[in-house]
Amino acid sequence: MKNVSVSFDSSTDEELLAYYAEGDPRAAKLLVERLAPAVLRLASNLLPDKADAEEITQETFLRLWKIAPDWQRGRAKVSTWLWRVAANLCADWLRKKRPASLQEIDDPADGRPMNEARLMDLDRANVLKGELMKLPVRQRTAIALRHLECASNPEIAAAMSISVEAVESLLSRGMKTLRRNLIGRKAELGWEQ
């Protein structure tokens, strides 16, 4: 195994992928620690079921490990490639399977008592997720990457294999639809004083 004494902390994602391709599993572990949370958040925002989002995340990384030896440095960021694969896998899943209704999704259980503010936050999150699920998958993907993952429009364009102008259009149309669908619920959700 090469690079036995390498310190991975300052390594880029591309370098870690190269180390993994050379046979160092520590590099894969660090890549997963760095990038899996973002991939899981994206999948969770595109799919109604957390278990399916976890499965998509695993499949996304399996595909990364398969292409690692052939990775071409400088063509794409590893994170952007992962987002593209995850978004495509989610779109495929949505075409094959009927999404669960919002009522079928379990609330997260963390053992802490629910206070009014946490309940309101949970209600807002559930309403927002429900409205996101109504958007076409490409608009939903663009919005999730931009507003939940803080990706730049060029990063989103690369992840979705579209132009920056197309990203801007998807974001504009998606946000317009969200505003239109949520405008009448502002008071109910505590967004008005």
Side-chain angles (χ1 to χ4, degrees), residues 74-100:
R75 283 195 70 195
K77 289 172 55 176
V78 176
S79 59
T80 303
W81 186 91
L82 288 168
W83 283 337
R84 178 183 310 150
V85 171
N88 288 338
L89 288 171
C90 288
D92 291 346
W93 181 93
L94 289 166
R95 277 191 288 274
K96 292 176 187 173
K97 204 171 187 183
R98 181 192 67 80

Short mmCIF file of all heavy atoms in Angstrom, two decimals, residues 74-100:
data_model
loop_
_atom_site.label_atom_id
_atom_site.label_comp_id
_atom_site.label_asym_id
_atom_site.label_seq_id
_atom_site.Cartn_x
_atom_site.Cartn_y
_atom_site.Cartn_z
N GLY A 74 -9.25 17.43 -12.26
CA GLY A 74 -9.53 18.71 -12.88
C GLY A 74 -10.79 18.76 -13.73
O GLY A 74 -11.22 19.84 -14.12
N ARG A 75 -11.41 17.63 -14.02
CA ARG A 75 -12.62 17.65 -14.84
C ARG A 75 -13.84 18.09 -14.04
O ARG A 75 -14.71 18.78 -14.56
CB ARG A 75 -12.89 16.27 -15.44
CG ARG A 75 -11.97 16.01 -16.63
CD ARG A 75 -12.42 14.86 -17.44
NE ARG A 75 -13.66 15.19 -18.15
CZ ARG A 75 -14.44 14.30 -18.72
NH1 ARG A 75 -14.14 13.03 -18.66
NH2 ARG A 75 -15.52 14.66 -19.34
N ALA A 76 -13.92 17.67 -12.78
CA ALA A 76 -15.04 18.03 -11.91
C ALA A 76 -14.58 17.91 -10.47
O ALA A 76 -13.65 17.15 -10.18
CB ALA A 76 -16.24 17.12 -12.16
N LYS A 77 -15.23 18.65 -9.61
CA LYS A 77 -14.97 18.47 -8.18
C LYS A 77 -15.64 17.17 -7.74
O LYS A 77 -16.69 16.80 -8.27
CB LYS A 77 -15.56 19.64 -7.39
CG LYS A 77 -14.80 20.95 -7.58
CD LYS A 77 -15.49 22.13 -6.95
CE LYS A 77 -15.79 21.95 -5.48
NZ LYS A 77 -16.38 23.14 -4.85
N VAL A 78 -15.04 16.50 -6.79
CA VAL A 78 -15.62 15.25 -6.29
C VAL A 78 -17.02 15.51 -5.74
O VAL A 78 -17.96 14.76 -6.01
CB VAL A 78 -14.70 14.60 -5.24
CG1 VAL A 78 -15.36 13.36 -4.65
CG2 VAL A 78 -13.34 14.25 -5.84
N SER A 79 -17.19 16.60 -4.99
CA SER A 79 -18.50 16.90 -4.41
C SER A 79 -19.55 17.14 -5.50
O SER A 79 -20.68 16.67 -5.40
CB SER A 79 -18.42 18.11 -3.48
OG SER A 79 -17.95 19.25 -4.18
N THR A 80 -19.17 17.84 -6.55
CA THR A 80 -20.09 18.11 -7.65
C THR A 80 -20.48 16.81 -8.35
O THR A 80 -21.66 16.59 -8.68
CB THR A 80 -19.45 19.08 -8.66
OG1 THR A 80 -19.07 20.28 -7.96
CG2 THR A 80 -20.40 19.44 -9.77
N TRP A 81 -19.50 15.94 -8.56
CA TRP A 81 -19.79 14.64 -9.18
C TRP A 81 -20.76 13.85 -8.32
O TRP A 81 -21.71 13.25 -8.82
CB TRP A 81 -18.48 13.87 -9.39
CG TRP A 81 -18.66 12.60 -10.15
CD1 TRP A 81 -18.57 12.43 -11.50
CD2 TRP A 81 -18.97 11.31 -9.60
NE1 TRP A 81 -18.81 11.11 -11.82
CE2 TRP A 81 -19.05 10.40 -10.68
CE3 TRP A 81 -19.18 10.83 -8.32
CZ2 TRP A 81 -19.35 9.05 -10.51
CZ3 TRP A 81 -19.47 9.49 -8.14
CH2 TRP A 81 -19.55 8.61 -9.23
N LEU A 82 -20.54 13.85 -7.00
CA LEU A 82 -21.42 13.12 -6.08
C LEU A 82 -22.84 13.68 -6.14
O LEU A 82 -23.82 12.93 -6.14
CB LEU A 82 -20.88 13.19 -4.65
CG LEU A 82 -19.64 12.34 -4.38
CD1 LEU A 82 -19.03 12.72 -3.04
CD2 LEU A 82 -19.96 10.86 -4.43
N TRP A 83 -22.97 15.01 -6.14
CA TRP A 83 -24.30 15.62 -6.23
C TRP A 83 -25.00 15.20 -7.51
O TRP A 83 -26.19 14.92 -7.52
CB TRP A 83 -24.21 17.14 -6.16
CG TRP A 83 -23.98 17.70 -4.79
CD1 TRP A 83 -24.28 17.10 -3.59
CD2 TRP A 83 -23.41 18.95 -4.48
NE1 TRP A 83 -23.93 17.92 -2.56
CE2 TRP A 83 -23.40 19.08 -3.07
CE3 TRP A 83 -22.91 20.00 -5.23
CZ2 TRP A 83 -22.91 20.19 -2.42
CZ3 TRP A 83 -22.42 21.12 -4.58
CH2 TRP A 83 -22.43 21.21 -3.19
N ARG A 84 -24.26 15.19 -8.63
CA ARG A 84 -24.86 14.81 -9.91
C ARG A 84 -25.38 13.38 -9.84
O ARG A 84 -26.51 13.09 -10.23
CB ARG A 84 -23.86 14.94 -11.05
CG ARG A 84 -24.46 14.51 -12.39
CD ARG A 84 -23.48 14.55 -13.54
NE ARG A 84 -22.81 15.82 -13.58
CZ ARG A 84 -21.57 15.99 -14.04
NH1 ARG A 84 -20.88 14.96 -14.50
NH2 ARG A 84 -21.02 17.18 -14.07
N VAL A 85 -24.54 12.47 -9.36
CA VAL A 85 -24.95 11.06 -9.28
C VAL A 85 -26.13 10.91 -8.33
O VAL A 85 -27.12 10.23 -8.66
CB VAL A 85 -23.76 10.18 -8.84
CG1 VAL A 85 -24.21 8.75 -8.54
CG2 VAL A 85 -22.68 10.18 -9.92
N ALA A 86 -26.08 11.54 -7.16
CA ALA A 86 -27.18 11.43 -6.20
C ALA A 86 -28.48 11.99 -6.79
O ALA A 86 -29.55 11.38 -6.65
CB ALA A 86 -26.82 12.14 -4.90
N ALA A 87 -28.40 13.14 -7.43
CA ALA A 87 -29.60 13.74 -8.03
C ALA A 87 -30.17 12.82 -9.11
O ALA A 87 -31.40 12.64 -9.19
CB ALA A 87 -29.28 15.12 -8.61
N ASN A 88 -29.32 12.23 -9.93
CA ASN A 88 -29.79 11.32 -10.97
C ASN A 88 -30.41 10.06 -10.36
O ASN A 88 -31.44 9.58 -10.84
CB ASN A 88 -28.66 10.95 -11.93
CG ASN A 88 -28.28 12.09 -12.84
OD1 ASN A 88 -29.06 13.01 -13.06
ND2 ASN A 88 -27.07 12.05 -13.35
N LEU A 89 -29.79 9.51 -9.33
CA LEU A 89 -30.35 8.34 -8.66
C LEU A 89 -31.70 8.66 -8.03
O LEU A 89 -32.63 7.84 -8.09
CB LEU A 89 -29.37 7.80 -7.60
CG LEU A 89 -28.12 7.11 -8.14
CD1 LEU A 89 -27.13 6.83 -7.00
CD2 LEU A 89 -28.47 5.83 -8.88
N CYS A 90 -31.82 9.84 -7.45
CA CYS A 90 -33.10 10.25 -6.86
C CYS A 90 -34.17 10.40 -7.95
O CYS A 90 -35.32 9.96 -7.76
CB CYS A 90 -32.95 11.56 -6.10
SG CYS A 90 -32.05 11.41 -4.54
N ALA A 91 -33.80 11.00 -9.06
CA ALA A 91 -34.76 11.16 -10.17
C ALA A 91 -35.21 9.79 -10.67
O ALA A 91 -36.41 9.58 -10.92
CB ALA A 91 -34.14 11.97 -11.29
N ASP A 92 -34.28 8.86 -10.79
CA ASP A 92 -34.64 7.50 -11.20
C ASP A 92 -35.58 6.85 -10.19
O ASP A 92 -36.57 6.22 -10.56
CB ASP A 92 -33.39 6.62 -11.36
CG ASP A 92 -32.53 7.02 -12.54
OD1 ASP A 92 -33.00 7.78 -13.41
OD2 ASP A 92 -31.36 6.56 -12.58
N TRP A 93 -35.27 7.02 -8.91
CA TRP A 93 -36.11 6.45 -7.85
C TRP A 93 -37.52 7.03 -7.95
O TRP A 93 -38.50 6.29 -7.84
CB TRP A 93 -35.49 6.74 -6.49
CG TRP A 93 -36.27 6.17 -5.35
CD1 TRP A 93 -36.10 4.97 -4.75
CD2 TRP A 93 -37.38 6.79 -4.68
NE1 TRP A 93 -37.02 4.79 -3.75
CE2 TRP A 93 -37.83 5.89 -3.69
CE3 TRP A 93 -38.04 8.00 -4.82
CZ2 TRP A 93 -38.89 6.18 -2.84
CZ3 TRP A 93 -39.11 8.30 -3.98
CH2 TRP A 93 -39.51 7.38 -3.01
N LEU A 94 -37.62 8.35 -8.14
CA LEU A 94 -38.93 9.00 -8.20
C LEU A 94 -39.74 8.53 -9.41
O LEU A 94 -40.96 8.45 -9.35
CB LEU A 94 -38.77 10.52 -8.22
CG LEU A 94 -38.31 11.12 -6.90
CD1 LEU A 94 -37.86 12.56 -7.09
CD2 LEU A 94 -39.41 11.02 -5.84
N ARG A 95 -39.06 8.22 -10.51
CA ARG A 95 -39.77 7.71 -11.69
C ARG A 95 -40.32 6.31 -11.44
O ARG A 95 -41.36 5.95 -11.96
CB ARG A 95 -38.85 7.69 -12.90
CG ARG A 95 -38.74 9.01 -13.61
CD ARG A 95 -38.03 8.86 -14.94
NE ARG A 95 -36.61 8.62 -14.81
CZ ARG A 95 -35.69 9.56 -14.68
NH1 ARG A 95 -36.05 10.83 -14.67
NH2 ARG A 95 -34.41 9.25 -14.56
N LYS A 96 -39.61 5.53 -10.64
CA LYS A 96 -39.99 4.13 -10.42
C LYS A 96 -40.97 3.95 -9.28
O LYS A 96 -41.72 2.98 -9.26
CB LYS A 96 -38.74 3.29 -10.12
CG LYS A 96 -37.80 3.15 -11.28
CD LYS A 96 -36.58 2.39 -10.87
CE LYS A 96 -35.54 2.39 -11.97
NZ LYS A 96 -34.28 1.80 -11.55
N LYS A 97 -40.96 4.82 -8.31
CA LYS A 97 -41.70 4.60 -7.09
C LYS A 97 -42.59 5.79 -6.77
O LYS A 97 -42.18 6.93 -6.94
CB LYS A 97 -40.68 4.41 -5.95
CG LYS A 97 -41.16 3.65 -4.79
CD LYS A 97 -39.98 3.34 -3.86
CE LYS A 97 -40.42 2.44 -2.75
NZ LYS A 97 -39.37 2.18 -1.82
N ARG A 98 -43.78 5.53 -6.30
CA ARG A 98 -44.68 6.59 -5.87
C ARG A 98 -44.17 7.14 -4.55
O ARG A 98 -43.99 6.40 -3.59
CB ARG A 98 -46.10 6.07 -5.68
CG ARG A 98 -47.09 7.14 -5.25
CD ARG A 98 -48.40 6.55 -4.79
NE ARG A 98 -48.31 5.80 -3.56
CZ ARG A 98 -48.28 6.34 -2.34
NH1 ARG A 98 -48.30 7.63 -2.18
NH2 ARG A 98 -48.22 5.58 -1.26
N PRO A 99 -43.92 8.45 -4.47
CA PRO A 99 -43.46 9.01 -3.19
C PRO A 99 -44.51 8.88 -2.10
O PRO A 99 -45.71 8.92 -2.36
CB PRO A 99 -43.23 10.49 -3.51
CG PRO A 99 -43.26 10.60 -4.99
CD PRO A 99 -44.01 9.43 -5.52
N ALA A 100 -44.05 8.70 -0.87
CA ALA A 100 -44.95 8.63 0.28
C ALA A 100 -45.55 10.01 0.53
O ALA A 100 -44.95 11.02 0.21
CB ALA A 100 -44.17 8.19 1.51
#
